[in-house]
């Protein structure tokens, strides 16, 4: 009996010893200040005690600041609490577009893929419920969240081993083409997801560290796993775009927060170097981000800002040049100028509509970084302090975003036009399109994106929302633009007649010239010209918001009867035989959410090289009955004289709109 007890005791001790992941020690710089005892114990072969000393070191560490989590003022939102509680049952909050969340089984199946949307599979591996569990643990003082987090964390490590695959393969993830285990690596270890965990695990470390479940054994597993993450991102940075920025900022965080790793300084430097390099490449000199997507523009400001927060909290701001700080400020000013009075941005490209609360929170952080910028202060304080921007209409000519604006407050008229260069991944082929805000409502919301990428069914949905024809622009035979490379021919943001003239070589043999006049800061006259030798059907598309719209095919006009005091009349003056035809209309402001709306096209035949011309008058008003009678016609031919003249008659009074290129 005595022997049995001794054997069990030995086994337990052995198991306990085995529970430490010894791989941690060679990864650490044991000469790092504070690790003296860890080094001594490790050298003496007392690895259990060394791990314990390491845990004590982290519990007592005060000189490294996590700028994201303040334990003294920690709160948890209702949503986060729900995610934390559901996670206890393995119902994981993975994606806003898939609610209610799916359950991943008692024995967690990390390969469960209920809808073949890549995002659902990728984002499972972001573990978005882990940090909320940490907040629940701290605010509720309930160990069950910590215990469960440790279990899930270790379960994930066991079931998602990292095997080597080519960097490019991470972006090729799709169903059924590769072996299951390779397929899983593509999702679980895509560098973007890996970097997401790299960042969030700093927060989990901060929140759970003092828990009894955060043992010395677990600490060693955590740090070894963390090191594997950082090494993987370092060796597999995405080639470009916002992914690379996210990854770089998170490497900076890894290096700054865990300086005890031998490679920590290299991680931090790598992140900073990439951010300093990429900000010059990805942000145009006018402050626009090169994916031409307002949502990712905001995300990129957030990335750069987060990098500065970590640098400020831990004393290495000097590693960012002044030009970096100035560029981020220009990005904020850009964002402010393309946003509406409700703080929200147009849904061009893959944009989603954010919440006012979230954007306001950003302005509050930004004003701390740029205390001298009165415009940012104005936005941050909702007008209580600071000053409104001095400009109204504003053009960003390199990015190709133009805002016509008559004010900054709720009752303003704001048209934002997208007519830029070839954009990167998230950009849609939509040159010349616009959104129009009037008196508190977006009257022409962009179709948005609805979903990103996945199997055929998902791609079909994505491609519908990406189509050129579901934007407020001109197509040939309803096809997507072949070229998206707009050139600004004229931009005049001042006076009673403000003008933008932009041209896109849309198709072989067909250039789309769009001239937008903002007249008396009240209404818009848009001249569209289809120029070139191409023949076929020319389609001029318009997409309104949801609500009642009277369509008058005889007069080629639309008149809204929406609820409230934001109305619009649109009338097209088109070549003979142009037909006003109703089209399928949807818009999406959030992932997998869509709203039906009125969409139309003015269709006409282009039989030869003669230019096809339309004039569209868009008149917003608080009451559609109060909109005056308007007619418009072309006088003069731009190709011959370089001069375009349009005659507009409003309630019998004629006005000439004119420009000379
Ligand atoms: Mg769009």
């Amino acid at each position: 009996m005595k022997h049995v007890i001794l054997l069990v005791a030995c086994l337990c001790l052995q198991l306990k010893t085995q529970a430490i992941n010894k791989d941690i020690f060679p990864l650490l710089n044991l000469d790092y200040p504070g690790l003296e005892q860890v080094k001594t114990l490790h050298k003496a072969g007392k690895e259990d005690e060394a791990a314990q000393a390491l845990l004590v070191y982290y519990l007592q560490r005060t000189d490294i600041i996590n700028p994201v989590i303040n334990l003294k003022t920690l709160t948890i939102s209702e949503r986060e609490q729900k995610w934390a509680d559901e996670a206890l049952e393995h119902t994981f909050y993975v994606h806003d577009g898939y609610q209610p969340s799916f359950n991943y089984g008692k024995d967690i199946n990390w390969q469960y893929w209920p809808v073949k949307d890549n995002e659902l599979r990728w984002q499972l591996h972001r573990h978005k419920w882990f940090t909320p569990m940490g907040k629940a643990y701290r605010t509720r003082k309930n160990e069950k969240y910590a215990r469960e987090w440790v279990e899930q964390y270790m379960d994930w490590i066991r079931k998602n081993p990292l095997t080597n695959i080519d960097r490019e393969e991470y972006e090729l993830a799709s169903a059924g083409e590769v072996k299951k285990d390779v397929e899983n690596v593509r999702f679980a270890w895509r560098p973007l997801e890996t970097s997401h965990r790299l960042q969030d695990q700093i927060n989990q470390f901060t929140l759970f560290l003092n828990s009894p479940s955060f043992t010395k054994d677990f600490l060693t597993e955590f740090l070894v796993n963390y090191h594997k993450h950082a090494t993987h991102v370092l060796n597999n940075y995405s080639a470009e775009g916002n992914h690379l920025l996210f990854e770089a900022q998170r490497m900076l965080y890894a290096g700054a927060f865990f300086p005890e790793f031998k490679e920590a300084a290299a991680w931090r430097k790598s992140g900073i170097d990439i951010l300093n390099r990429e900000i010059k490449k990805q942000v145009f000199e006018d402050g626009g981000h090169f994916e031409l997507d307002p949502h990712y523009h905001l995300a990129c400001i957030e990335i750069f800002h987060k990098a500065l927060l970590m640098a400020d909290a831990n004393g290495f701001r000097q590693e960012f040049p002044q030009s970096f700080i100035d560029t981020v400020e220009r990005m904020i000013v850009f964002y402010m100028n393309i946003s509406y009075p409700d703080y929200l941005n147009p849904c061009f490209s893959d944009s989603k509509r954010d919440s006012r609360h979230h954007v306001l929170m950003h302005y509050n952080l930004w004003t701390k970084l740029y205390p001298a910028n009165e415009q940012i202060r104005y936005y941050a304080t909702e007008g209580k302090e600071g000053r409104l921007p001095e400009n109204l209409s504003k053009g960003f000519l390199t990015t190709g975003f133009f805002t016509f604006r008559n004010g900054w407050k709720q009752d303003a008229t704001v048209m934002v036009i997208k007519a830029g260069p070839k954009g990167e991944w998230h950009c849609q082929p939509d040159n010349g399109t616009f959104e129009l805000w009037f008196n508190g409502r977006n009257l022409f919301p962009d179709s948005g994106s609805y979903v990103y990428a996945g199997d055929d069914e998902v791609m079909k949905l994505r491609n519908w929302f990406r189509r050129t024809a579901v934007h407020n622009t001109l197509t040939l035979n309803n096809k997507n633009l072949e070229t998206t490379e707009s050139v600004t021919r004229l931009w005049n943001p001042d006076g009673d007649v403000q003008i933008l003239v932009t041209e896109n070589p849309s198709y072989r043999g067909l250039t789309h010239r769009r001239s937008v006049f903002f007249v008396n800061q009240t209404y818009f006259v848009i001249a569209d010209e289809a120029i070139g030798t191409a023949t076929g059907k020319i389609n001029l598309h318009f997409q309104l918001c949801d609500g009642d719209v009277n369509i008058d095919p005889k007069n080629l006009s639309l008149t809204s009867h929406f609820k409230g005091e934001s109305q619009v009349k649109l009338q097209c003056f088109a070549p003979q035989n142009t037909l006003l035809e109703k089209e399928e209309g949807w818009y999406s402001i959030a992932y997998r959410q869509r709203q039906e709306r009125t969409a139309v096209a003015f269709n006409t035949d282009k039989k030869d090289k003669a230019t096809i011309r339309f004039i569209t008058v868009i008149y917003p008003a608080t009451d559609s009955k109060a909109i005056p009678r308007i007619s418009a016609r072309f006088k003069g031919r731009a190709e011959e004289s370089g001069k375009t003249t349009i005659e507009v008659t409003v309630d019998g009074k004629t006005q000439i709109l004119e420009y000379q290129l």
Side-chain angles (χ1 to χ4, degrees), residues 483-519:
T483 306
T484 52
E485 197 96 61
S486 292
V487 176
T488 307
R489 301 295 305 273
L490 181 68
W491 169 242
N492 170 19
D494 301 307
D496 287 342
V497 181
Q498 302 178 9
I499 311 172
L500 168 69
V501 181
T502 175
E503 265 180 27
N504 187 53
S506 302
Y507 305 91
R508 198 182 322 159
L510 192 96
T511 291
H512 174 207
R513 177 189 292 174
R514 170 161 273 188
S515 311
V516 185
F517 301 86
F518 186 28
V519 185

Side-chain angles (χ1 to χ4, degrees), residues 161-201:
L162 172 61
T163 52
N164 277 335
I165 61 172
D166 286 345
R167 190 172 71 180
E168 288 74 27
E169 284 192 280
Y170 289 107
E171 292 302 329
L172 299 174
S174 60
E177 287 162 21
V178 288
K179 281 197 298 194
K180 275 258 173 227
D181 54 337
V182 174
E183 181 191 277
N184 189 56
V185 175
R186 285 177 170 182
F187 288 105
W189 288 92
R190 185 169 72 142
L192 184 65
E193 271 59 44
T194 311
S195 75
H196 195 108
R197 296 193 297 272
L198 195 67
Q199 170 175 274
D200 283 10
Q201 285 181 19

Side-chain angles (χ1 to χ4, degrees), residues 207-225:
L207 291 163
F208 286 119
L209 181 63
N210 75 347
S211 144
S213 301
F214 204 113
T215 61
K216 64 178 189 318
D217 304 346
F218 178 74
L219 172 68
T220 59
E221 293 287 4
F222 177 93
L223 291 175
V224 169
N225 182 52

Side-chain angles (χ1 to χ4, degrees), residues 347-349 428 430 446-448 465 471:
C347 280
F348 297 141
S349 300
Q428 295 183 350
D430 58 1
D446 195 87
S447 294
F465 284 83
H471 292 85

Side-chain angles (χ1 to χ4, degrees), residues 413 436 438-439 443 522-523 560 562 564-569 618-628:
T413 303
L436 171 59
F438 172 76
N439 196 30
L443 294 168
T522 305
Y523 67 99
S560 75
F562 300 142
E565 298 194 323
S566 295
Q567 307 296 339
V568 67
K569 182 175 177 187
I618 298 179
Y619 204 111
T622 52
D623 180 354
S624 39
K625 290 195 202 88
I627 296 173

